[in-house]
Amino acid sequence: VVLHEKLDLSESAAEARQLAALPQLVKNLSSHDPSLQLSAASELRKLVSIERNPPLQQVIDCGVVPLLLELLDNKENAALQFEAAWALTNLVSGTTIHTHQVIQHGAIPKFIELLDSPFDDVREQVVWALGNIGGDSPECRDLVLRHGGMPP
């Protein structure tokens, strides 16, 4: 039991350090330097991929959703698109509130557009994102369908 408590404390400390780094990650996402953007998107993806209790709301609250969605427009940088899409996929895997917060920033049309990406990993990631959104509720499913997420 003591070992488990120590692991929980070290995990909490690591998460606290990562959350403290959020303002710098937001700044790096806003940078015009693709290497800083990629590093920040990757770190955010790792943060929202934590197995137990990922800090989805804290990440959303720091304003990264529109920045990540903007990175999806960078058609010359598949790695950046992939990391941004993966982070967003994890954000829409949370609660209905998390999913709606991402949808409100225009995620569905961006994901639909990327279904035509020339990059397999980007396409696969947006399929996961759309699946998470569509699986959230009948209303979200209908939104994905209305945006052309499943053409006839």
Side-chain angles (χ1 to χ4, degrees):
V1 174
V2 174
L3 178 59
H4 185 44
E5 288 175 10
K6 285 183 180 179
L7 287 175
D8 286 346
L9 288 175
S10 82
E11 286 176 11
S12 296
E15 184 178 324
R17 282 192 303 278
Q18 289 173 313
L19 289 175
L22 277 175
Q24 186 61 48
L25 293 176
V26 171
K27 182 178 177 185
N28 290 351
L29 282 178
S30 302
S31 164
H32 294 290
D33 180 343
S35 65
L36 285 176
Q37 291 173 323
L38 180 60
S39 176
S42 177
E43 287 302 312
L44 279 168
R45 185 252 311 155
K46 292 173 189 173
L47 183 60
V48 296
S49 297
I50 294 172
E51 192 170 330
R52 287 188 322 158
N53 302 317
L56 302 180
Q57 193 61 54
Q58 295 94 317
V59 170
I60 291 169
D61 289 346
C62 77
V64 300
V65 172
L67 299 172
L68 290 169
L69 288 168
E70 189 176 314
L71 296 179
L72 295 179
D73 294 333
N74 193 335
K75 294 177 182 11
E76 304 84 44
N77 193 332
L80 188 55
Q81 283 184 316
F82 175 72
E83 288 292 346
W86 193 352
L88 289 161
T89 297
N90 288 340
L91 291 174
V92 297
S93 72
T95 67
T96 297
I97 292 169
H98 300 136
T99 302
H100 282 272
Q101 289 173 321
V102 175
I103 289 171
Q104 289 169 351
H105 287 284
I108 294 174
K110 293 226 182 221
F111 290 146
I112 300 291
E113 181 182 333
L114 285 173
L115 289 172
D116 292 327
S117 170
F119 306 107
D120 293 341
D121 54 349
V122 172
R123 283 194 314 271
E124 180 180 353
Q125 202 52 240
V126 298
V127 166
W128 278 107
L130 289 167
N132 286 349
I133 293 169
D136 182 79
S137 67
E139 296 80 16
C140 289
R141 177 204 59 215
D142 292 346
L143 274 174
V144 171
L145 292 174
R146 274 198 299 274
H147 280 89
M150 205 156 193

